[in-house]
Amino acid sequence: MLEDLRLKVFLAVARTGNFTRAGSLLGLGQSSVSQHIAALEKKLGVTLFNRSRTEVSLSPEGMTFLEYAERLEYWYDAALRMFPEEGDALSFPRKVTIAADSVTLSYLLPGAISLIRGVRKNLSFRVMDSSLSDGTAYDAVLGTRKVPESLDFEGEKNVIGTMDAVAVCSPLNTSLRGAAVSADGNVSGPVPFSSIAGIHVSNSLAVWDGYSGLLTPDLLPRVGVMSPSAETLKRVVLRSPDTAAILPLMSVRDELSKGELLRLPVSLPLFTFEVYFTPSSSFEGKSDCALLRSVLSDLLHDKCTALEYSFPGEGNSPSE
């Protein structure tokens, strides 16, 4: 079993390229660092570092081990964040009220709440659609917005990532499926287009209404359906042999992984949205707030795929 300190020593040496500097970072002597690395190399049966008089460098085996060590470091830190800080237990039961827009409400929050509730049973959530605000005081607001053209320093501190857009079609769509991109990023056939305008004119477009203001005048007449509901648009495309959809990537990840929808090789940089998490002044700074923000960011960047969690039923919102 790899000891936590041994892992930290390895990472420190790999990042500094020097046993002495690594020891200074960890509060250890150079000889102690050398002993930990030697013991780890003996345990693994490989040489992790090439040594010279002034510095060390990773061996090929060391570079391979570094990938696993960094993953272990990430999941170790993530696991620590999942559990309440000392003294938090005195404040339960606790309820967190969140307002979210339609996309984050359906495709980002459910997974985050499922993960957090798995380890913090004393925490409950009330989730509301931000478009139906009734004057309720929220602990946090989660939503999306078009990337601003100018820097917004005040707003940037609340950004937890970006929401990419994707063009998709059904396997029934014979005019487009030959250009579909596979899960590993390979194109299965000749690429007839690289922009939305290049999608074969026999196809109408189904568009999430958050993108309505981004469509050029030549594309607007081709829009057959526009809706704030990604679920509605997905159902239209799944059953259509002549419709392509422009949707937030987070809303179709499951269908793409199962092959129920096909991703088209269309670049959509102008359709990138920021995802923001804005806590109230009373919620900001609490461990629950930091945990929620961290888990949302990890899910948004697809870092939690190794964990098993389930989403509520299609189109449903999580409840308390």
Side-chain angles (χ1 to χ4, degrees), residues 98 101 104 108-109 112 140-145 154-163 250 273-279 289-303:
I98 306 170
D101 66 5
T104 55
L108 187 57
L109 264 179
V141 176
L142 182 66
T144 58
R145 67 176 185 181
E154 183 64 26
E156 283 299 310
K157 70 178 183 179
N158 296 321
V159 173
I160 59 173
T162 56
M163 179 179 77
M250 71 168 70
F273 276 47
E274 291 179 337
V275 180
Y276 61 85
F277 174 78
T278 307
C289 179
L291 173 62
L292 180 58
R293 178 188 175 98
S294 176
V295 172
L296 286 167
S297 178
D298 287 348
L299 282 172
L300 185 61
H301 295 96
D302 207 20
K303 291 182 178 179

Side-chain angles (χ1 to χ4, degrees), residues 23-42:
S24 297
L25 288 174
L26 300 174
L28 300 174
Q30 186 271 339
S31 60
S32 179
V33 171
S34 299
Q35 290 171 7
H36 281 296
I37 295 300
L40 181 56
E41 289 178 324
K42 182 178 180 180

Side-chain angles (χ1 to χ4, degrees), residues 32-237:
S32 179
V33 171
S34 299
Q35 290 171 7
H36 281 296
I37 295 300
L40 181 56
E41 289 178 324
K42 182 178 180 180
K43 177 80 172 179
L44 298 174
V46 298
T47 298
L48 296 173
F49 293 100
N50 299 315
R51 295 152 168 87
S52 71
R53 292 185 60 185
T54 57
E55 63 180 20
V56 295
S57 60
L58 286 166
S59 67
E61 294 81 4
M63 294 178 67
T64 299
F65 185 70
L66 177 63
E67 295 181 18
Y68 290 94
E70 288 180 333
R71 292 177 191 174
L72 286 169
E73 179 186 44
Y74 169 80
W75 287 115
Y76 180 79
D77 289 342
L80 290 178
R81 293 198 304 268
M82 277 292 187
F83 294 92
E85 297 173 1
E86 185 178 357
D88 277 0
L90 299 176
S91 60
F92 67 83
R94 302 190 300 277
K95 179 185 290 184
V96 177
T97 302
I98 306 170
D101 66 5
S102 61
V103 174
T104 55
L105 184 70
S106 297
Y107 305 108
L108 187 57
L109 264 179
I113 291 174
S114 178
L115 285 170
I116 294 171
R117 286 282 299 147
V119 294
R120 291 201 180 179
K121 304 297 185 182
N122 60 328
L123 196 61
S124 65
F125 293 86
R126 184 184 184 192
V127 180
M128 306 175 69
D129 190 326
S130 56
S131 67
L132 305 175
S133 176
D134 60 358
T136 300
Y138 306 123
D139 291 302
V141 176
L142 182 66
T144 58
R145 67 176 185 181
K146 182 72 179 70
V147 176
E149 295 181 1
S150 57
L151 289 177
D152 175 10
F153 293 105
E154 183 64 26
E156 283 299 310
K157 70 178 183 179
N158 296 321
V159 173
I160 59 173
T162 56
M163 179 179 77
D164 293 327
V166 64
V168 298
C169 71
S170 165
L172 300 174
N173 194 322
T174 56
S175 66
L176 298 179
R177 68 186 182 194
V181 180
S182 63
D184 59 6
N186 294 319
V187 178
S188 58
V191 181
F193 52 83
S194 59
S195 68
I196 305 172
I199 293 177
H200 199 277
V201 293
S202 63
N203 286 266
S204 63
L205 299 176
V207 183
W208 178 57
D209 72 352
Y211 301 141
S212 60
L214 304 175
L215 296 171
T216 54
D218 61 309
L219 291 175
L220 287 173
R222 296 180 57 182
V223 177
V225 56
M226 186 175 290
S227 172
S229 169
E231 292 302 318
T232 296
L233 298 174
K234 285 192 290 185
R235 291 191 187 99
V236 169
V237 176

Side-chain angles (χ1 to χ4, degrees), residues 237-256:
V237 176
L238 283 167
R239 295 166 172 79
S240 175
D242 57 6
T243 302
I246 304 171
L247 292 165
L249 175 58
M250 71 168 70
S251 70
V252 292
R253 276 178 172 158
D254 190 43
E255 289 81 4
L256 289 174

